[in-house]
Amino acid sequence: MKKTSITRKIFLYLTLSFLAVIFLFPLVWMVMSSMKDDFQIFRDMTSVKAFLPPLPNEVDGGYLQNYILAFERVNLLKYIMNSLIYTIGIIIFGLIVNSMAGYALARFNFPFRNFWLAVIIATLIIPPESIFLPLYVLVFNLGWVNTYTGLIVPFIANAFAIFLFRQFFLDFPKEIEEAAKIDGCSQLGIFVRIIVPLTKPVFATVAIVLFINHWNDFLWPLVVANDDSMRTIQIGLQFFMNQQPVQWGQVMAALTVATLPMLIIFIFLQRYYVQGLAHTGSKN
């Protein structure tokens, strides 16, 4: 039995390692290509050299030359700052609104609670693109076009985030809340002082999901932020790739810079992310 268990674990780890390497190939290729010129990128495309950095004598101007030229060619720093403001704004307000909504659905008994939960979950099947036109008309009438408000406010409430919070709070011990009530703590005080500090995994999970979803947003920022000063990184990359002549080494450098924030936030919050996913869905 022990040998069988060890064999299964070895097979599982080898399989997962193999899959991890496969998924990392595009990322490694992108980073390595960001250090090369166009000739080197296409020359190495069909060999293992595509996943290796260029030799020092093949680099003209240093390994970061493409990064420097990319920032000089377009205002990448401004695009990155716009994306950070956009995504972080949605995360901050989204965590507040969605956590409170999830807590209310998990703890409070109010009329038609299950009905409203079903309505919230049902909105997940609605394609976001199908509501962009009426949403844009609303944002336009409010005067929010080319503003951070127009980018952030429509996406603060998130059905998936509300569901995750609700499932996680269902698993939270009620005895702790009841003890706080006996000590005279208000409902808001219980949520802020007890629930939030003790449920970091689900907050980290929702933060990662919201960051990845909205950092990669393209259509909504394209519609609402049509001024160059308001473009997000994804829109900026599209305009950058359309500039002639296309310098693929610089494009890879810009793509690498755009990918870094997602990698950083996932690396720092991955432990909470796994815990949050493990605890959600344990109760109905």
Side-chain angles (χ1 to χ4, degrees):
M1 292 295 292
K2 290 184 178 180
K3 290 183 179 180
T4 304
S5 178
I6 293 174
T7 303
R8 287 179 178 176
K9 287 184 178 180
I10 293 175
F11 176 76
L12 177 62
Y13 288 141
L14 288 176
T15 303
L16 293 176
S17 300
F18 176 72
L19 292 175
V21 170
I22 291 177
F23 283 113
L24 283 174
F25 271 166
L27 181 63
V28 174
W29 176 77
M30 178 182 67
V31 175
M32 295 301 104
S33 297
S34 70
M35 305 177 190
K36 305 174 183 178
D37 58 33
D38 288 4
F39 172 77
Q40 293 169 338
I41 292 174
F42 290 103
R43 181 198 64 186
D44 300 338
M45 188 76 71
T46 57
S47 68
V48 71
K49 290 183 179 180
F51 304 101
L52 299 175
L55 297 175
N57 59 352
E58 295 180 332
V59 179
D60 185 17
Y63 285 107
L64 299 180
Q65 181 67 12
N66 285 330
Y67 293 87
I68 296 172
L69 294 175
F71 275 91
E72 290 178 350
R73 195 170 182 182
V74 294
N75 196 359
L76 279 180
L77 186 60
K78 179 63 176 177
Y79 301 155
I80 292 172
M81 290 302 301
N82 287 337
S83 287
L84 286 174
I85 295 172
Y86 169 48
T87 53
I88 292 175
I90 291 176
I91 290 172
I92 292 175
F93 292 108
L95 289 177
I96 296 172
V97 172
N98 296 315
S99 64
M100 288 185 172
Y103 183 71
L105 290 169
R107 284 290 187 265
F108 298 158
N109 291 317
F110 53 88
F112 307 109
R113 183 181 67 172
N114 292 332
F115 169 77
W116 290 118
L117 175 63
V119 170
I120 292 172
I121 296 175
T123 60
L124 291 172
I125 67 174
I126 301 175
E129 294 79 9
S130 65
I131 63 171
F132 274 5
L133 181 57
L135 193 59
Y136 175 78
V137 172
L138 177 62
V139 169
F140 179 82
N141 290 332
L142 292 173
W144 290 353
V145 176
N146 285 320
T147 65
Y148 293 120
T149 305
L151 285 170
I152 294 171
V153 171
F155 298 99
I156 290 177
N158 185 286
F160 182 67
I162 293 173
F163 177 75
L164 281 182
F165 277 118
R166 185 253 183 186
Q167 294 300 102
F168 200 93
F169 293 149
L170 282 176
D171 207 28
F172 190 83
K174 292 183 179 181
E175 293 78 7
I176 299 177
E177 299 175 56
E178 292 172 355
K181 287 182 181 179
I182 293 174
D183 291 337
C185 192
S186 64
Q187 194 67 56
L188 180 61
I190 292 173
F191 181 78
V192 174
R193 299 178 183 179
I194 298 176
I195 302 296
V196 174
L198 295 178
T199 56
K200 292 179 182 178
V202 69
F203 279 87
T205 302
V206 172
I208 292 176
V209 171
L210 292 178
F211 188 92
I212 293 176
N213 287 346
H214 294 288
W215 182 264
N216 292 324
D217 270 351
F218 181 82
L219 185 56
W220 181 248
L222 178 65
V223 171
V224 175
N226 47 47
D227 188 81
D228 183 68
S229 63
M230 290 298 300
R231 286 176 185 163
T232 59
I233 185 63
Q234 303 302 333
I235 308 302
L237 288 174
Q238 183 63 37
F239 278 90
F240 181 48
M241 294 178 65
N242 288 336
Q243 289 187 359
Q244 299 297 327
V246 178
Q247 301 291 334
W248 290 107
Q250 297 176 25
V251 170
M252 295 301 169
L255 291 172
T256 301
V257 172
T259 306
L260 280 177
M262 289 190 294
L263 293 177
I264 292 172
I265 192 171
F266 184 79
I267 289 172
F268 281 100
L269 297 179
Q270 62 175 326
R271 178 167 61 91
Y272 296 112
Y273 180 72
V274 174
Q275 293 177 6
L277 290 181
H279 283 83
T280 53
S282 59
K283 288 190 177 182
N284 296 322

